[in-house]
Amino acid sequence: MKTIIAGAILSSILVMGSNANAESTPVTNQDIQGAWKLEYTKRSEKSDETFDREDTWTFNNGTVNISNIPRDGGYYDQLPVKYEIEDDKLKIAILGRAGRFDKFTFINNDQKSMTLKAAYGEIYKFVKK
């Protein structure tokens, strides 16, 4: 009996969640323009462990510039690369690999914050600078 009730609750949550997703407006280039500070990343949505970050991603008319990336006790800036939004996914070109992209799904996007999910489930949480 408990299994049936749990199944009914789970299926109703899934149905309601898919309806809310279907009504959301698509993300456009205008929605992400400007500088975004990467606050933290996590290995997955379910993970409690977060990794504090200091990167800044600046989106400007089809180009993204990622700066202040931590590595080996210092920081570096990546050269600008192209990005596009296709089917509500953010595709960022991989530097030095023509035709290859890192793909991110928008989980949350408003004027002050943005949350992205990478291809392998990593979560990227941004705030507008």
Side-chain angles (χ1 to χ4, degrees):
M1 186 68 174
K2 289 181 183 180
T3 305
I4 294 171
I5 292 172
I9 291 171
L10 179 61
S11 63
S12 65
I13 289 172
L14 291 173
V15 168
M16 294 175 81
S18 64
N19 287 341
N21 226 6
E23 295 173 10
S24 66
T25 58
V27 178
T28 65
N29 280 335
Q30 283 299 97
D31 296 331
I32 65 170
Q33 292 296 302
W36 296 85
K37 182 186 177 303
L38 180 55
E39 283 191 319
Y40 66 82
T41 60
K42 342 193 271 189
R43 289 195 177 108
S44 71
E45 288 181 271
K46 296 177 182 175
S47 174
D48 290 331
E49 183 180 17
T50 60
F51 305 97
D52 293 336
R53 298 292 297 262
E54 300 173 24
D55 313 19
T56 298
W57 296 26
T58 305
F59 295 91
N60 186 14
N61 298 322
T63 308
V64 61
N65 202 11
I66 304 174
S67 58
N68 204 34
I69 304 167
R71 180 170 64 186
D72 297 329
Y75 297 93
Y76 74 99
D77 296 343
Q78 177 180 301
L79 294 172
V81 293
K82 299 286 184 190
Y83 78 88
E84 60 186 57
I85 296 175
E86 183 178 281
D87 298 328
D88 261 353
K89 293 194 186 300
L90 175 64
K91 292 173 51 178
I92 299 178
I94 298 174
L95 191 61
R97 303 203 57 203
R100 300 286 309 237
F101 297 90
D102 281 326
K103 295 178 183 174
F104 300 89
T105 302
F106 289 96
I107 293 176
N108 173 36
N109 184 43
D110 59 36
Q111 293 179 357
K112 295 180 182 179
S113 67
M114 175 170 62
T115 307
L116 303 175
K117 183 176 183 179
Y120 296 105
E122 302 95 342
I123 301 298
Y124 291 72
K125 172 70 172 150
F126 295 87
V127 292
K128 187 80 171 204
K129 277 186 99 174

